[in-house]
Amino acid sequence: MLDIDKIRKDFPILETVKYKRPIVYFDNGATTQKPKVVTDTLTNFYLSKNANIHRAVHFLSQESTNAYETARTTIKSFLNASSEKEIIFTSGTTESINLVASSFGERFIFKGDEILISELEHHSNIVPWQFIAEKKGAIIKVIPMNNKGELILDNLDNLLSDKTKIVTLNQVSNSLGTINPVKKIIAAAHKKEIPVLIDGAQSVQHMKVDVQDLDADFFVFSGHKLYGPTGIGVLYGKEKWLEAMPPYKGGGDMIKKVSFEKTTYADLPLKFEAGTANYIDAIGLKSAIDYVQGVGLQNIAEYENDLLKYAEQKLKEVPNIIFYGTSVNKAATISFGIKGVHPTDVGTLLDKLDIAVRTGSHCTQPLMDFYGISGTIRASFAFYNMKEEIDYFTESLKKVVMMLT
Ligand code: PLP
């Protein structure tokens, strides 16, 4: 289905040998590696096309501006948004959520109102809401999860009260890989005219996302988890919300007219893009999306699902393993612990065997509290990973467990 040998050649870092063999990179949930076409795009742009955007009449600036706005159009199509006005470039998921929490919260959240989040959230989809809740005197409510790491939706109708101003949750859990039924949750919230923000930081790289089909009010993601550069991300917002929300930051490019008495703001999307945008990384993100679409998101989803199923079976061979997050609906992430062993010790020894996994709370401490643990070992796969790597991982893990127990 996928030509893995060819794909792996596009990612030179996968040839890195620190100890004995090329690195087995299973930390894709934290960040993905970059295909050479993305780094070439960045280098070429800096070396031959760079100029500040939206500013000057000279040809370099025109080219830069065109490339930046073309990147926006690519992202509009990638998410199936209805207009470029709905695509705001940010520095990443964290900034996108902070923007909405701060700006939407300023305009729409007041004392006694409720913000509904899920128990599976990353800290970046918890803390910004706590800031605005504290500032406005609002209350955070939580959709609970079960032992499999699935959201419990039986009581959703009651949680969506007449005080709920926004629902915010991820489409895929970074810690467990659970795919949440966001379309169903959005439909339930919309019955009560409550908008929903979807954190797509862990979904856009694994599945096709269509914001109009989901009917999401806001959708956010980071470039670096989608094979693109760091420091660039996206906020999709329905035009009606973005129009109603006040600017988040002030500065150049986000204004129509400034005087000492009064300033008027630029139209969307620039109203939310104060200062010199990270235009080169936006152009790099376009190149990453083109690459991913060349491979095909459907092919990626099928290939990664096959890897996941294979890994789930293989890892059962490891003594004393405890799996966390066993929903049938999962993206390519496995979280587990080893009875009586600290995750960091496992991660440290695996590193010496050229295997990169993530250990710890994965920025989801409330989720760890649910299980009564301090952290897990997480293997998160990408489409450049292979079954041979999972075999090596399983055998290495068996050795590590033998040493530590
Ligand atoms: N949300 C989820 C589900 C994530 O996995 C992450 C990062 O791991 C974030 C938000 C934050 O992303 P960033 O650090 O790129 O802003």
Side-chain angles (χ1 to χ4, degrees), residues 60-77:
L60 279 179
S61 177
Q62 301 283 324
E63 276 203 42
S64 252
T65 302
N66 284 344
Y68 180 63
E69 293 304 334
T70 303
R72 198 189 305 277
T73 302
T74 297
I75 284 145
K76 183 205 107 179
S77 308

Side-chain angles (χ1 to χ4, degrees), residues 94-107:
T94 302
E95 195 193 14
S96 298
I97 297 173
N98 273 279
L99 189 164
V100 178
S102 166
S103 172
F104 178 93
E106 193 56 44
R107 172 82 172 72

Side-chain angles (χ1 to χ4, degrees), residues 4 13 18 112 145 154 212 218 231 248 257-258 337 369 375 388:
I4 295 303
I13 201 169
K18 167 75 175 157
M145 64 177 226
D154 305 349
Q212 292 193 70
F218 300 100
Y248 169 59
K257 175 85 182 79
V258 178
D369 291 345
E388 293 90 301

